[in-house]
Amino acid sequence: MAGLQPKMWFAAHMHVKFPAVVAHPSGNATRFLALDKVLPGREFLQMIHLPDASGPRVLSYDPEWLAIVGMTENLLRGYTAPSNMRLPRDIPRPLPADIQEIIDNAQKMCTPDDRPGAGDMGLLAVPSNFTPTVPSYIPPAPLTPIPATPIPSPQKDAFCALVQRIIPQRLTSLHHDYWGSQPS
């Protein structure tokens, strides 16, 4: 947040609702909003008004965040760390050249059909590809039991395919040197 200094920053599934205004040394400020878990009686959803802006309103993935996802992907796909493992404070950060390479890769690999209406955001635009994976709950129907196996998610699969396409291989290799053992 300190580097990007966006006007707004949102986080979800944070265990508590937490609004804040973060002042930056540059004089800019970021309106921050963390939303609670999706549970009964919790504040997990909030409508906001976005100020008028020119051009299309397109959500996009942050290239620095994508670089970090690439560098820590073993922690996201079945890697089980020892229970006493503490994450070090000196986790490698992506370099500006790494971030620029992700942007360049996304622009080179993007066709107009990849993200219609995304403008110059190309592959970094969050797709409008929501697909329900379970039936909607309509009270007072009984809750259905949680399945024993994971439910496939087309959104997750599309995101993983994007990461594989645009994250430089050297970044995903870097984490194996840093974190040690690879997942099986």
Side-chain angles (χ1 to χ4, degrees):
M1 185 183 306
L4 294 174
Q5 298 186 17
K7 291 181 182 178
M8 297 179 182
W9 186 290
F10 303 100
H13 195 84
M14 300 303 295
H15 304 276
V16 67
K17 180 180 178 183
F18 181 78
V21 176
V22 179
H24 302 289
S26 65
N28 295 332
T30 299
R31 291 176 50 206
F32 174 83
L33 177 62
L35 295 174
D36 203 349
K37 285 183 168 186
V38 180
L39 292 172
R42 306 288 280 271
E43 295 187 46
F44 60 87
L45 183 65
Q46 182 170 328
M47 299 298 289
I48 61 163
H49 173 72
L50 297 175
D52 292 334
S54 61
R57 292 184 187 217
V58 178
L59 293 176
S60 62
Y61 296 117
D62 176 65
E64 182 176 4
W65 176 75
L66 287 172
I68 293 167
V69 167
M71 294 169 72
T72 58
E73 58 90 20
N74 67 320
L75 299 176
L76 302 174
R77 63 173 176 89
Y79 173 79
T80 305
S83 60
N84 63 349
M85 178 182 173
R86 290 181 178 247
L87 294 178
R89 293 193 163 274
D90 63 341
I91 293 173
R93 304 276 309 173
L95 301 172
D98 300 327
I99 296 165
Q100 187 59 51
E101 187 173 353
I102 289 169
I103 294 168
D104 294 344
N105 288 348
Q107 289 173 343
K108 279 190 290 192
M109 296 176 191
C110 185
T111 68
D113 294 334
D114 282 324
R115 300 284 193 272
D120 61 357
M121 293 309 302
L123 287 176
L124 295 179
V126 176
S128 298
N129 66 344
F130 178 75
T131 305
T133 56
V134 295
S136 298
Y137 173 67
I138 302 171
L143 292 173
T144 55
I146 297 173
T149 58
I151 298 170
S153 167
Q155 294 84 227
K156 180 195 69 136
D157 294 343
F159 175 74
C160 290
L162 168 71
V163 168
Q164 289 176 346
R165 285 175 69 184
I166 67 172
I167 302 294
Q169 179 60 40
R170 64 185 159 65
L171 286 184
T172 57
S173 299
L174 184 87
H175 78 272
H176 293 302
D177 296 335
Y178 184 79
W179 294 105
S181 62
Q182 298 182 24
S184 55

